[in-house]
Amino acid sequence: MNNRRPRTAKDDKVKKGGDYMGLQGILVDVNYCTGCEACILACQQEHGYTEKEYGIRVTKLGPLHIDKAKKDYQYDFIPQFTQWCDLCADRVGKGKKPACVHHCQAQCLDWGNVEDIAREIKCPKQMIVAIAEA
Amino acid sequence: MGEKIYVPGQYKRGSRHPKKNAVPSPTAETPEVPWTWEEDGMTVIRGTARSAPGCHNVCGILSYVKDGKLVKVEGDPEDPYNQGRLCSRCLCIPDYVYHEERLLHPMKRERGSRGKDEFVRITWDEAYDIIEREFKRISEEYGPEFIMMCQGTGRDIHQITRLNACLGSPNEGVPYFAGNSCYLPRISSMACMLGDACVMDCSQFLPERYDDPRYAVPQYCIIWGHQPFYSNADGFLGHWIIDLMKRGMKVAVVDPQLTWIAARAGEDWLRVRPGGDGALAMAMLKVICDEGLYDRDFCDKWVYGLEAVCERVADMNLDELCERAWVSRDDVVRVARTYAAASPAAIQWGVALDQQTGGQQAAHAVTALWCITGNLDIPGGNVIGRSCWGIDQPNWVGNWGYDELLSEEQHAKRIGIERYPMFGAGFKVMSSNATIEAWQTGSPYKPKAAYFATNNFLATMGAQSRKQLEEWYETNLEFVVVSDLFMTPTMMALADVVLPAATYEERNGFGGLNPYRISCINKAIEPVGESKPDNTIFLELGKRVALPENKDIAYPWDTVEEMWDYALEDGGFTWAELRDATWKYPEFKYRKYETGDLRDDGQLGFQTETGRAELYSMVFHHTSWSGLDPLPSYVEPVESPYSAPEDIEEYPYVVTSGARIPHFFHSEQRQIKKLRALHPDPLVYIHPETAAKHHISEGDWIWIENRHGKCKYKASFNDTYDPRVLQAEHGWWFPERKNAAEEDGSQGELFGVFESNINNLVPFDAGVSGFGANYKALMCKIYKDE
């Protein structure tokens, strides 16, 4: 776990693609998301959403067997962001973190310019969801 | 009534005894932060989120208020405890505070109408008049001990002990909860062995947390019968485990369920049989003793009974123990060796250990593991915590008022004190199993009145709660008071008087239930409607019901804040000073046995008869006539595949209860739409092969049944369970059925509380200690709901 994946030419190509320049997004460290779903409620409270509206939702992937003998399983929780997510523009404008990032119990979320948070990616199962133009 | 003015520090003492601490121990430095400020046109109040709603933690919270109304809350980033985090339940607290079903005023109901929605609104004065009159009548006709005060869990209402004590009753507890099966089996086991209780050290005693140079990250942690992230049990913020994993800690997990954390343990996930934890603990103890992996130097200096333990486990058969636990020998040996070799190493355990017949004995064996490996009271191990500055009152073991207000004669009438010696040895609650026996036999007596303080036992703790309700509570209880925030099945079934309680946003207090720090519960808004905080109720009612000889010291305070000044006096600060600081941490010490900080006489060692950590418990030695074993042992649960093999044919499966859901604290929050939307139905988790045998498809409703009862759950497939094991959620009732049921007057069988209630299957049992009942290992059969 947490082995740094060797950098490849492909990585550089994607990074230099440039389409995401100027985008802001959320960095998710899937290694630590426990599925507590505090983020969903934090988002709803911040935006005054009802139970039918949410800027973030968490999907359970697993548990599935990879190698039963070694007790190797696929079992992750993956947060995804929706049309209702505005990266908490109001809060961020006042110098705060987005509500989901602030309250994440596993502290597995971060946010910022995509090109900046891309530099924080250090191991597998970390991902960036680009959300809006800065 | 005129508003009483609170003058900090000008309080009356509620005792004739002197202050405990002439010179309070020093306070650790914490960040200097304001407790209120203006922001964005709102007033922000810094405080602690405890309670109601129920919770075992004391997270720091910032409440945003506009025009007297709570707008939103945020986790307090400055608070060392939660460091800005909050869980889903607090993050919708405005929905809870302003919910359309909140109880807004006191009510009464004729006893003959129990179970029917025929409540009549009354004033607080009338409610208090009725309670005062009825408690006085019961006291005069039968005796004050016939009145019992009952609570649930996870609420800052332990001060209720002062209320029953002031009117002369020694009976406070959870009498419907077989075996007092939550933490008390573990706490009492540790207390008898060590004179104290331990908790895994995640740096929570130190305000600087992981940055404090005294702290060490555990190399290895065994998470045992515990879902830390969803349960946040007993003053333990589950995600501290994540903090430590990020800092390099490896984990093993003992759980019948492949939890998310179990999937991180790899081969060190031990898929224990529900109820087999004691066998597993003894197997690990055997590996460490047989192979001499214990810390010899530490044991020589500080441990009593190592040779006796080694002799006992030497006679046990490792293969048999592993077979009993349904864990492979290789796995047991590897985890035991890894734990013994790691330094520091910790064990973080959960309620699963308590909720089996041999829970107390299993706790004895697990405690022995961290003692013999020298992980006792060291950084990153299992450390001894005590109530901060000796302020016991916020702790449920504190029994505030018990010693100063109750006569020796009344002490002796506490139910269970003779039946179970551990209840006589310092745990001043009524024994649940002795109460269940009292209902059945009439001995020593059957209680006649009860005050259920924000407790919904029909949905949560009550083993076979329908039987308890119909055969005992309804018939014997002549008078019942229930306080809560919402109409619950328990209130609907039993209340003659209803008192509307308030949330942490609506009250002043201080957070306890942990030995780390004392923190301020800081009122952000006025109580909604006519609701009142539980402690305000206790104060106002206590002034009326205290015995004449107790009147001067029972409740001499004009305000709760003045009452808190008295409660906090051993810390050397007032409630207002606590509010100014938000948190007060007593300076923490590791290895207290080396400094004489544990013993009353100031000698080195532990507060035990031998002065050592007693693997061979002298308390159990002296009370072994009751069946208590001085040494770690394994007790097979009642009604298990091994203790009742003749039942396997009819009941081939074992169902374990209490699978945790992050959005609900036991039976609470089912009416909060945002939370319920994330988990609408009661689920039972079942292996698809097992389901196929019974023609059950995913999402089908199925019945789970044994000789005690049955219940209905929706099937959720999961092929990582042992095919013989199912796991059911608990605490389910259906507040939404209120309106549907009003037509026939039956309240839909009390909001459906007996329908998806796994406790219908739980026997009225307890281990020999009176602690530990079989909530988590129930033989059963299943079939599809047609």
Side-chain angles (χ1 to χ4, degrees):
Chain A
M1 210 164 67
N2 289 3
N3 292 325
R4 188 189 289 262
R5 186 167 62 91
R7 191 168 185 79
T8 65
K10 198 177 161 195
D11 290 311
D12 284 327
K13 190 178 170 208
V14 172
K15 199 162 181 193
K16 284 173 187 160
D19 279 345
Y20 60 81
M21 299 290 276
L23 279 172
Q24 288 194 317
I26 301 265
L27 168 64
V28 182
D29 190 345
V30 175
N31 294 293
Y32 293 112
C33 177
T34 61
C36 78
E37 300 189 319
C39 51
I40 301 175
L41 280 296
C43 174
Q44 287 174 329
Q45 181 190 239
E46 181 64 24
H47 296 88
Y49 294 153
T50 69
E51 73 276 13
K52 293 178 181 135
E53 306 157 315
Y54 33 82
I56 183 170
R57 196 73 189 223
V58 181
T59 303
K60 186 163 85 165
L61 293 185
L64 298 166
H65 296 275
I66 297 171
D67 183 338
K68 206 168 178 176
K70 288 185 182 163
K71 300 184 196 171
D72 190 7
Y73 296 94
Q74 162 58 42
Y75 193 179
D76 290 318
F77 292 97
I78 316 283
Q80 177 56 295
F81 299 82
T82 72
Q83 298 275 26
W84 285 288
C85 172
D86 63 353
L87 270 176
C88 286
D90 273 3
R91 283 175 68 92
V92 171
K94 289 167 190 159
K96 292 189 174 188
K97 299 174 185 173
C100 60
V101 176
H102 178 118
H103 290 102
C104 174
Q105 292 199 88
Q107 297 178 330
C108 71
L109 300 178
D110 202 351
W111 96 109
N113 293 319
V114 167
E115 60 198 80
D116 296 335
I117 53 179
R119 278 183 221 112
E120 292 173 35
I121 295 214
K122 291 183 177 68
C123 66
K125 297 209 310 198
Q126 293 180 327
M127 64 183 204
I128 290 171
V129 181
I131 289 170
E133 302 236 4
Chain B
M1 244 188 296
E3 185 84 356
K4 297 292 195 318
I5 307 286
Y6 164 59
V7 183
Q10 290 193 6
Y11 64 94
K12 296 185 182 70
R13 302 195 68 245
S15 175
R16 296 183 187 92
H17 307 306
K19 286 183 193 183
K20 268 188 284 186
N21 290 334
V23 184
S25 52
T27 306
E29 266 190 45
T30 45
E32 274 192 35
V33 291
W35 67 263
T36 184
W37 65 93
E38 298 294 315
E39 185 180 316
D40 273 346
M42 291 180 277
T43 304
V44 187
I45 313 282
R46 172 175 261 130
T48 296
R50 176 177 170 79
S51 58
C55 182
H56 286 298
N57 280 256
V58 286
C59 288
I61 197 156
L62 305 176
S63 300
Y64 287 72
V65 177
K66 186 166 187 164
D67 301 328
K69 203 167 164 171
L70 180 69
V71 178
K72 65 167 185 173
V73 296
E74 302 225 342
D76 183 356
E78 305 290 340
D79 192 317
Y81 192 87
N82 53 314
Q83 300 174 318
R85 299 171 259 205
L86 277 185
C87 85
S88 58
R89 303 191 301 272
C90 266
L91 284 166
C92 61
I93 200 71
D95 296 36
Y96 189 97
V97 170
Y98 298 115
H99 195 282
E100 59 193 7
E101 297 287 339
R102 264 290 294 275
L103 295 171
L104 298 179
H105 42 75
M107 298 188 287
K108 67 177 179 181
R109 182 176 62 181
E110 293 298 319
R111 189 183 164 191
S113 296
R114 284 182 187 171
K116 294 182 190 151
D117 191 5
E118 293 178 6
F119 290 102
V120 178
R121 178 176 177 169
I122 54 174
T123 64
W124 276 98
D125 264 342
E126 186 179 353
Y128 286 153
D129 285 346
I130 297 170
I131 297 168
E132 185 180 354
R133 185 188 73 219
E134 289 298 309
F135 279 178
K136 195 170 179 201
R137 180 182 67 78
I138 302 277
S139 287
E140 284 170 1
E141 280 183 35
Y142 307 103
E145 65 275 12
F146 282 76
I147 302 167
M148 55 181 189
M149 306 261 167
C150 307
Q151 34 176 312
T153 189
R155 289 205 144 91
D156 180 42
I157 55 171
H158 309 292
Q159 304 83 352
I160 197 171
T161 56
R162 194 172 190 91
L163 191 60
N164 53 273
C166 84
L167 58 76
S169 172
N171 287 318
E172 177 277 326
V174 285
Y176 24 76
F177 189 25
N180 293 71
S181 301
C182 183
Y183 214 12
L184 267 184
R186 283 174 288 154
I187 288 272
S188 56
S189 244
M190 291 188 285
C192 290
M193 296 170 70
L194 308 172
D196 275 292
C198 295
V199 61
M200 176 183 172
D201 180 23
C202 299
S203 78
Q204 66 269 38
F205 290 87
L206 311 167
E208 287 185 48
R209 299 299 308 260
Y210 310 107
D211 295 335
D212 192 306
R214 290 171 292 177
Y215 183 64
V217 173
Q219 291 181 335
Y220 193 62
C221 170
I222 303 176
I223 297 168
W224 199 313
H226 186 47
Q227 185 0 330
F229 315 118
Y230 298 174
S231 71
N232 293 297
D234 307 312
F236 191 93
L237 190 83
H239 283 79
W240 293 337
I241 296 281
I242 295 289
D243 298 350
L244 292 173
M245 287 168 72
K246 288 179 179 172
R247 288 164 173 81
M249 182 179 78
K250 302 291 179 207
V251 296
V253 173
V254 179
D255 205 313
Q257 180 192 169
L258 180 82
T259 55
W260 177 89
I261 186 82
R264 269 70 200 158
E267 288 187 279
D268 289 355
W269 170 40
L270 306 184
R271 191 175 69 180
V272 70
R273 170 174 65 99
D277 302 87
L280 177 60
M282 291 305 286
M284 289 176 59
L285 201 53
K286 179 175 172 63
V287 172
I288 291 172
C289 289
D290 285 1
E291 299 186 7
L293 304 178
Y294 43 81
D295 183 333
R296 276 168 210 281
D297 185 48
F298 182 83
C299 290
D300 282 349
K301 280 187 185 149
W302 303 112
V303 167
Y304 179 73
L306 177 68
E307 288 90 34
V309 171
C310 288
E311 277 171 33
R312 168 164 292 187
V313 295
D315 290 339
M316 300 180 107
N317 182 313
L318 187 57
D319 289 318
E320 278 175 21
L321 288 169
C322 294
E323 199 281 322
R324 277 292 171 100
W326 292 1
V327 176
S328 82
R329 180 184 172 125
D330 285 351
D331 284 352
V332 170
V333 169
R334 187 186 58 256
V335 170
R337 286 177 183 164
T338 309
Y339 172 73
S343 181
I347 297 177
Q348 168 59 14
W349 55 7
V351 77
L353 279 153
D354 303 320
Q355 300 194 333
Q356 41 191 295
T357 315
Q360 178 264 314
Q361 292 82 358
H364 191 158
V366 174
T367 304
L369 289 173
W370 70 66
C371 291
I372 63 172
T373 53
N375 285 302
L376 178 55
D377 214 26
I378 64 167
N382 286 73
V383 292
I384 290 175
R386 286 183 161 179
S387 51
C388 302
W389 293 284
I391 298 169
D392 273 324
Q393 171 268 329
N395 265 323
W396 79 112
V397 291
N399 294 89
W400 202 38
Y402 190 92
D403 292 328
E404 54 226 19
L405 298 172
L406 272 176
S407 66
E408 290 297 321
E409 185 191 355
Q410 289 308 104
H411 283 183
K413 290 179 183 169
R414 178 155 51 92
I415 294 178
I417 199 165
E418 289 178 354
R419 174 75 176 77
Y420 296 111
M422 280 172 81
F423 284 84
F427 305 98
K428 294 169 183 169
V429 294
M430 59 198 301
S431 151
S432 305
N433 281 67
T435 313
I436 288 169
E437 287 161 16
W439 293 127
Q440 289 169 327
T441 66
S443 172
Y445 52 86
K446 295 182 179 183
K448 295 287 182 188
Y451 180 165
F452 299 106
T454 51
N455 167 260
N456 183 11
F457 75 92
L458 293 183
T460 53
M461 309 177 170
Q464 297 172 56
S465 55
R466 181 198 287 270
K467 182 182 165 88
Q468 294 208 40
L469 172 68
E470 291 177 355
E471 295 188 17
W472 304 333
Y473 283 84
E474 264 176 10
T475 48
N476 287 292
L477 294 180
E478 295 179 9
F479 179 65
V480 177
V481 184
V482 184
S483 66
D484 218 315
L485 290 94
F486 296 94
M487 179 59 63
T488 65
T490 304
M491 185 182 268
M492 182 57 76
L494 284 167
D496 302 321
V497 171
V498 164
L499 303 178
T503 67
Y504 65 79
E505 295 288 2
E506 303 161 290
R507 70 189 198 90
N508 286 332
F510 61 95
L513 202 68
N514 72 64
Y516 326 133
R517 55 101 172 265
I518 287 177
S519 54
C520 186
I521 300 164
N522 202 353
K523 184 165 91 172
I525 53 168
E526 289 303 316
V528 171
E530 293 176 13
S531 68
K532 290 189 185 204
D534 291 287
N535 278 294
T536 304
I537 301 172
F538 300 158
L539 172 62
E540 292 176 352
L541 195 53
K543 285 175 181 291
R544 287 169 170 249
V545 300
L547 293 171
E549 61 266 35
N550 282 334
K551 285 270 185 200
D552 58 334
I553 57 164
Y555 288 93
W557 310 289
D558 289 331
T559 64
V560 284
E561 293 80 8
E562 191 190 336
M563 180 160 79
W564 300 145
D565 280 355
Y566 166 63
L568 293 168
E569 71 171 4
D570 286 320
F573 50 88
T574 64
W575 182 81
E577 285 165 342
L578 175 66
R579 183 173 61 180
D580 285 342
T582 305
W583 326 283
K584 296 270 191 186
Y585 283 76
E587 197 61 67
F588 184 69
K589 284 185 187 174
Y590 290 104
R591 297 186 174 89
K592 294 180 276 293
Y593 42 82
E594 289 181 353
T595 51
D597 284 281
L598 294 177
R599 289 186 60 82
D600 289 344
D601 60 13
Q603 297 290 308
L604 305 191
F606 297 84
Q607 181 66 17
T608 58
E609 186 176 320
T610 62
R612 289 164 172 258
E614 294 181 350
L615 305 186
Y616 185 97
S617 162
M618 295 308 292
V619 177
F620 295 158
H621 171 87
H622 296 309
T623 53
S624 55
W625 54 265
S626 67
L628 287 165
D629 192 333
L631 283 171
S633 59
Y634 164 53
V635 174
E636 179 63 34
V638 295
E639 301 181 18
S640 87
Y642 295 93
S643 59
E646 67 280 7
D647 289 343
I648 293 177
E649 198 176 340
E650 186 171 5
Y651 303 115
Y653 304 116
V654 178
V655 61
T656 185
S657 70
R660 291 294 191 268
I661 306 160
H663 313 302
F664 306 133
F665 185 78
H666 299 295
S667 67
E668 292 185 72
Q669 284 103 1
R670 296 303 191 288
Q671 63 280 87
I672 308 299
K673 280 184 189 163
K674 286 178 194 159
L675 296 175
R676 188 72 181 280
L678 295 171
H679 198 106
D681 296 315
L683 300 181
V684 63
Y685 305 91
I686 181 173
H687 197 292
E689 284 170 18
T690 307
K693 278 188 201 167
H694 299 272
H695 311 291
I696 293 164
S697 305
E698 179 141 41
D700 283 349
W701 289 87
I702 70 168
W703 288 93
I704 310 163
E705 181 174 334
N706 70 5
R707 65 165 59 92
H708 303 293
K710 62 179 183 176
C711 55
K712 194 170 102 172
Y713 281 82
K714 197 172 182 177
S716 175
F717 284 5
N718 185 327
D719 69 352
T720 61
Y721 284 91
D722 186 299
R724 296 164 288 184
V725 170
L726 290 80
Q727 186 167 27
E729 297 165 355
H730 77 299
W732 277 94
W733 60 292
F734 305 92
E736 67 274 16
R737 293 194 195 172
K738 181 169 187 273
N739 295 329
E742 271 169 358
E743 289 163 25
D744 67 359
S746 69
Q747 283 306 324
E749 280 274 84
L750 301 170
F751 306 97
V753 71
F754 303 122
E755 187 174 296
S756 300
N757 191 331
I758 189 67
N759 291 348
N760 294 347
L761 278 67
V762 176
F764 294 126
D765 174 59
V768 292
S769 57
F771 289 117
N774 218 15
Y775 281 78
K776 281 203 185 276
L778 307 158
M779 290 177 83
C780 67
K781 63 181 175 185
I782 56 170
Y783 50 95
K784 192 170 160 177
D785 180 45
E786 300 294 352

